[in-house]
Each structure stands twice: as C-alpha cells, then as structure tokens.
Amino acid sequence: MQLFVPGRICLFGEHSDWAGGYRRSHPEIDKGYAIIAGTNQGLFAEVRPHPSQLIIRSTLDDGSDGGTLELPMSQEALLSTAEAGGFFSYIAGVAHEIVAHFEVGGVVINNDQTTLPVRKGLSSSAAICVLTARAFNRLYHLNLSTRGEMAYAYAGELLTGSQCGRMDQGCAYGEQPILMTFDGGRIDVSPLALSQPLYFVIADLHAAKDTKRILQSLNRAFPVAESSLHHQAQDYLGRVNARIVRSAAAALKAGDAAQVGALMREAQTHFDAALQPLCPDQLTAPKLHEVLAYGPIQPYIYGGKGVGSQGDGTVQFIVRDEAAQTQVMSILEADLGLTCLRLTLAPASKRVRPARTVTANAPAKTVHPPGVRKAIIPAAGYGTRMFPASRVMRKELFPVVSRDGWIKPAILVLIEEALAAGIEEIALIVQPGHEPWFEALFTPLSTAEQRKYGEEHTAYARELTALGQRVTLIPQVSQEGFGHAVYCAHEWLSGEPGLLMLGDHLFASSSGRSCATQVMAAYASCQSRQSVVGLLPTPIEASHLYGAATGAWIEPGRLLQVSRFIEKPTLEEARQHLQLAELPPGQVLSFLGQYILS
C-alpha cells in the first residue's frame, strides 16, 4: 500500500492552538483559531503488515539514506525508542499508542522519498506521525476517522518530548485548507472549499531561531496576565486573531487573493506589536522583515508573513498568479540565496495528488489496481413498502437514532460508515427534483439557527457542510430498476472500482469492524481484484425473500469464492444448492446489500 502525507503550513493563527488550550482551566481565555493547509511536498512511503516487528527505512529530503530501524512491537521497546529522540522516535511513539489501544501486529514503513524540508515550520515530524497512524489504520482496518488518526499521531509525538501544537497534525487532512478551533481540550475542524486556485511561495530564510525559547517566553503571558504586555498578548491570540482568521476563511473560500494578502500583512503587524516585546531576541526577526519588504518582489505579491512560531525561520507569500509564483521564487533564490517551495491550493475538482520523482535509471515498479475510493448509494426508489410516510419524506431520510446518540437521517449513517471505511467520494442516485431534500442535510446553518441549536449542534453542522463537498448527487431520470440506478454512476466512477451500498438498508456488525470495512478488506485481499458481495447468514425458511450465493470457502466462515447466485430461491432450491459447510444447520448466505464492483 502506498501512502502520501504532506507537511502543513499555518496560513493564519500561529500559537493560537496552545493559547486556546488554557481554556481547560481558565474559560475566560478566548478560543484559538487557525487556518492551516497541507503543502505540495511531503512524505511518500510503501507500507505493509509485519507479524511482530516495526521496521522503518527512511530517506532524507536530500535523497540520502536516513537509516533503518527494527523494533519488536512491545510497548517497552517502543516507548524507550520514542523517548530517545530523533526521526525514528516519532514513529515509535505513535506505534506505542496504537499497540496500547488495539490488537495489531507490526508494520514495515519504507519511506522511499521525502520532498518535505525538515525543521522549517512545515511539520515534518507531524507528517511522519500521521503517516504511521494511517499505516496502522489502513493495514489493520482500525476504522479510525481522520480525527482519530490525528489524535494518535499527536499522542505519539508527545511521547518524544516534542512541544508540538495541536494544529500540526492537521496535515492529516491533506492539501485541503482547514479552519481549526481550539477550545481547551476540544478541537473543531472545518474544511474550507476553495472556488479557484490560490498561489503561494514558501521560502527558507536560512537564518537561526529558537522555537523553544519563543514558546517559553510567550507562555509566560498565560493563563494569568500579570502585566500590560501579557494582556496585549492574550488579546492578540484571542480576540484579534479570531477576527483576522474568520475574515481570512471567507477570503480563501471566495478566492480573493488580494484580501488574503492584506490580512497576512495585518496579521504580521499585530503579531509584531503584541508578541515581539515578549521575546525580542527571537521575534524581532530582521531577516524575516527584510525579505517581507524586499522591493523587487512587491509587484508580484499581495502580502506575506512569517510561518510557524515566526522568528527568522520561514516566510510565506500569496502571489498574483502562477507566473508570479515562478517569478518570486526566481528573485528570492537569485538575489537573496533563499530556498523556495511552491504551494498551490486548488478546489477539490482541480486538486492533483503530488507525484513521486522518478529517475531515468529507477527500476520499474509493479502497478497495482486502484483501491476503492468511491461509493454509490442508490436513493431514487419510491419506497412503496413504507407508504404513506414515503409520500412526504424520502425513505432514505427517515430518522434513526445512531450509535453515537444523534438522531440522523438513515442515509447519513450510511455515508459516515463509508467514509470511516476509507471512502473519499460518494454518489447518491436520486430522483430528479429530489436533490433539495438531500442538499438540505449539508446546507450551513443560518446565524439564527446557530443561536437556536447551540454550539455542539452548530459544530456538527459545520462537519456536515464539509462532508457535503465529498457527495455528488446524480439524477436517475427514469426509474428502471436497481441495475439502471447503478449504471447512472458509470461516468462518475471513470473506470474505478466502487463500493455499492443499498440506500434503504442499515448495517450492523458484531465484530467491531463495520460491514463496509470488512467488504473493502475482502476486496483488498483478492489478488485479481474480483468484485465482492457482502453475505449474511439467513434462516433457510426466509431465503425466498433474498438473493443468495454458494461456492467454495477460501477462508472458512469468512471468504467464499462464489460459484452460483440464485435470486429468491425456493425452499427446495435452497436445501439442494445453497447449504454450506461452516454454516449453522438451516442457514444459507443471502445478499447483505453491500458490494464492491471491480
């Protein structure tokens, strides 16, 4: 399995994550707000399971060999390595947290390419932590959400003695910019959907800064302000930062690069006035301010500011267009000797996953069939068995109480199950004219609704709005049956395999792994990538109500090579053709309602 995790850059709101964390004990402190984005550079790795060991092979950002480490998957060995420091400590720390909470084997992580500069405020340490958590999650089907991966990555990094902030693991969201809110121990994440590409330049200043000293100095202003300088710092990281970040989120979504640049300049001005006096030897940052004001680049940029903890570490600019991006990089590299990186943030439809660098003499690699990224959920039937309720509400929108206690439309339970299993995009097949019923689920709350519903519901509504960016509605112009509904998505699938879930079913598993996770794991284990159908043991007397299957066991009780399907078999057919070893007497395998089409 191949993984890519980018670095992350804080576009706005540096230091607000730890400042907002003080609300645990001092709720009068303002919440922290930050906007971060994944970089176009990151860590590439091939990962696979190992029965008992954690094996890491690393490559440095200059292409040289970073060494190899092999450890037994014992908590003691992992913790000792985590506390020893260094690159491998981050991986060991995350593995320690995973093995402490899950029954897993080991992993082999071959970090065969690194395009992300280290120690430049782009969270290379967080990237390797997220990559490790994601490797365990996907290889062992732990069913962790993106936030779950972030949580284990953060806990693992803390074991190394790192002073990382809570925003660093936001790189788990990839290159999509996200708005993060820090309220004591709670974090809210709202992806920002861009309307058009925005172009940035990141430059290493090749100067020195002491991040630990900066953090120690600024933390003295919290949680109790003991001087006017402390009050000034708290006001900036709270009220002032919140205003700037909210404005920046709106500007990013609107694609207003000029406004983003103006807000960058404003944020840097406020940062200098409020925080520089607390750590002047680090935050006066002469190199940073020299580059921000450098004359030859001004015609090409809208604005710029420092990165990370600030100081003379890294600078970022938002530029006018792609040509200006190239021009600014050329000037900074030629005139000032800086090392520059491109950062292009694009709408989801135009986002391109970074490619590995392939050298002319590199050996060819086996190209494996694509994994399952897309899911189809038909939701265009009439619901005749649920008449008359289905006349006034789509049956897929009937309310159910989910396992987490929320009352949800049934189709949302399906969508969340698919996403938790690793699906990235979902198509709902709907009747023409019924789109507004489903769109309402993902529509942002109005200001009045936010006041009415309260903070917890408003936060969940923001998550649903972000989730809606991953859902496509496809009309089924004429209802010609189940097969036709699936066919309506064939152009959207573009030749990729897809998870198919019946939109009027709910699925429950007693194994601790969701049904969708199990079906996707079965598909991944089939070397020829055959189509997969989920099967459910059913009393033979009820087999006439379902489609059913028979075949030969590949893994008894788990994986069957299907040799025959019978649609709604008679009792005689079921007894003669469908009974299998490894099943309790009097049961057959009927269709569950989940499939993977290859």
Side-chain angles (χ1 to χ4, degrees):
M1 179 183 296
Q2 293 186 347
L3 298 179
F4 169 78
V5 176
R8 75 100 187 101
I9 186 168
C10 179
L11 300 177
F12 292 91
E14 56 280 316
H15 297 297
S16 68
D17 49 350
W18 59 258
Y22 279 109
R23 285 174 57 82
R24 291 185 185 92
S25 57
H26 290 73
E28 69 278 6
I29 291 175
D30 292 321
K31 297 178 184 178
Y33 296 90
I35 296 174
I36 74 165
T39 64
N40 302 139
Q41 301 77 31
L43 307 177
F44 296 85
E46 293 185 357
V47 300
R48 57 182 173 85
H50 188 280
S52 60
Q53 286 190 302
L54 175 67
I55 301 175
I56 311 113
R57 303 184 182 96
S58 71
T59 303
L60 302 181
D61 56 325
D62 61 3
S64 61
D65 185 358
T68 300
L69 178 70
E70 298 186 14
L71 287 174
M73 282 293 291
S74 72
Q75 292 190 49
E76 295 77 13
L78 295 170
L79 180 60
S80 175
T81 301
E83 293 175 339
F87 173 81
F88 294 121
S89 69
Y90 298 107
I91 300 172
V94 177
H96 175 276
E97 291 302 295
I98 293 290
V99 79
H101 293 87
F102 298 97
E103 293 185 7
V104 296
V107 297
V108 178
I109 299 176
N110 181 18
N111 166 216
D112 53 357
Q113 188 172 1
T114 298
T115 58
L116 179 69
V118 299
R119 299 186 183 91
K120 300 301 178 185
L122 303 180
S123 293
S124 55
S125 59
I128 192 60
C129 289
V130 168
L131 189 148
T132 304
R134 185 160 294 166
F136 278 103
N137 187 26
R138 297 192 179 179
L139 291 173
Y140 291 100
H141 308 288
L142 303 182
N143 210 21
L144 294 175
S145 65
T146 302
R147 288 217 205 172
E149 292 176 344
M150 286 174 61
Y152 282 100
Y154 180 68
E157 185 162 358
L158 290 182
L159 288 180
T160 71
S162 168
Q163 295 184 356
C164 67
R166 295 302 301 273
M167 72 172 68
D168 291 359
Q169 281 71 30
C171 60
Y173 281 82
E175 294 174 84
Q176 182 177 22
I178 58 175
L179 170 64
M180 304 184 75
T181 304
F182 308 99
D183 183 1
R186 177 176 173 175
I187 299 176
D188 287 328
V189 177
S190 299
L192 302 176
L194 303 185
S195 58
Q196 63 184 35
L198 296 172
Y199 301 93
F200 298 79
V201 171
I202 306 167
D204 179 3
L205 297 174
H206 295 308
K209 72 168 183 176
D210 188 336
T211 299
K212 289 185 177 180
R213 178 168 174 78
I214 293 171
L215 291 172
Q216 289 170 353
S217 299
L218 299 186
N219 268 275
R220 294 192 185 104
F222 290 83
V224 178
E226 298 178 346
S227 68
S228 60
L229 289 180
H230 290 179
H231 282 291
Q232 190 171 276
Q234 289 194 15
D235 186 50
Y236 168 69
L237 291 175
R239 179 187 63 84
V240 175
N241 179 67
R243 175 184 58 78
I244 292 174
V245 169
R246 290 193 188 102
S247 298
L252 285 165
K253 289 192 288 186
D256 189 345
Q259 177 65 5
V260 173
L263 289 165
M264 281 187 166
R265 295 180 191 272
E266 181 183 358
Q268 186 66 52
T269 298
H270 282 290
F271 183 98
D272 292 342
L275 301 187
Q276 193 180 93
L278 293 175
C279 192
D281 62 317
Q282 294 296 319
L283 296 181
T284 300
K287 184 68 173 180
L288 169 66
H289 290 87
E290 174 195 347
V291 175
L292 286 172
Y294 190 60
I297 65 172
Q298 300 307 313
Y300 306 102
I301 69 172
Y302 286 120
K305 59 186 289 295
V307 172
S309 59
Q310 292 241 15
D312 277 340
T314 306
V315 64
Q316 60 178 321
F317 298 98
I318 184 167
V319 301
R320 296 179 178 274
D321 51 33
E322 190 170 9
Q325 190 181 50
T326 300
Q327 191 67 26
V328 169
M329 293 176 65
S330 176
I331 292 171
L332 293 178
E333 290 172 348
D335 294 5
L336 303 180
L338 306 185
T339 302
C340 298
L341 299 174
R342 297 178 187 270
L343 172 62
T344 301
L345 302 182
S349 62
K350 299 180 180 179
R351 206 170 294 143
V352 178
R353 179 171 295 182
R356 294 170 181 265
T357 300
V358 180
T359 62
N361 296 322
K365 294 186 177 180
T366 302
V367 179
H368 298 285
V372 183
R373 300 189 312 109
K374 295 182 176 183
I376 311 164
I377 305 178
Y382 282 97
T384 54
R385 286 175 294 181
M386 296 182 177
F387 180 89
S390 56
R391 286 203 68 197
V392 296
M393 177 184 291
R394 297 295 312 158
K395 60 181 178 178
E396 296 83 8
L397 298 176
F398 283 3
V400 297
V401 180
S402 65
R403 289 183 172 183
D404 56 13
W406 290 89
I407 300 175
K408 302 178 182 180
I411 200 160
L412 178 59
V413 178
L414 296 181
I415 290 171
E416 291 181 334
E417 177 178 341
L419 295 176
I423 292 296
E424 298 174 11
E425 300 178 48
I426 295 173
L428 304 184
I429 313 301
V430 302
Q431 287 190 31
H434 289 184
E435 292 92 341
W437 293 14
F438 295 92
E439 290 169 350
L441 178 59
F442 310 113
T443 301
L445 297 181
S446 66
T447 302
E449 286 175 318
Q450 291 180 29
R451 289 195 296 266
K452 185 175 182 179
Y453 282 116
E455 187 172 342
E456 183 179 13
H457 291 74
T458 298
Y460 190 28
R462 286 196 295 267
E463 291 184 17
L464 292 178
T465 299
L467 185 155
Q469 300 295 320
R470 302 165 72 175
V471 175
T472 298
L473 301 180
I474 300 176
Q476 184 183 10
V477 177
S478 58
Q479 276 61 57
E480 300 178 28
F482 177 39
H484 179 258
V486 177
Y487 178 74
C488 289
H490 78 281
E491 291 185 2
W492 176 80
L493 277 173
S494 300
E496 293 187 36
L499 170 67
L500 172 62
M501 308 172 77
L502 297 189
D504 54 2
H505 282 46
L506 292 174
F507 305 93
S509 167
S510 60
S511 73
R513 297 167 64 200
S514 73
C515 296
T517 299
Q518 294 179 59
V519 171
M520 290 180 66
Y523 176 78
S525 69
C526 296
Q527 294 301 316
S528 58
R529 295 298 196 263
Q530 298 165 296
S531 292
V532 172
V533 55
L535 297 171
L536 178 71
T538 305
I540 196 168
E541 293 79 9
S543 60
H544 67 285
L545 299 173
Y546 308 99
T550 187
W553 289 110
I554 298 172
E555 297 179 29
R558 177 182 174 271
L559 200 61
L560 184 79
Q561 180 68 54
V562 173
S563 60
R564 185 176 186 182
F565 290 127
I566 304 179
E567 174 64 16
K568 297 181 179 177
T570 65
L571 185 58
E572 181 181 349
E573 286 178 315
R575 286 175 173 156
Q576 183 177 354
H577 299 294
L578 297 177
Q579 291 186 296
L580 285 163
E582 305 294 335
L583 285 182
Q587 289 193 341
V588 295
L589 292 175
S590 297
F591 293 0
L592 172 72
Q594 291 192 10
Y595 313 76
I596 291 181
L597 309 179
S598 66

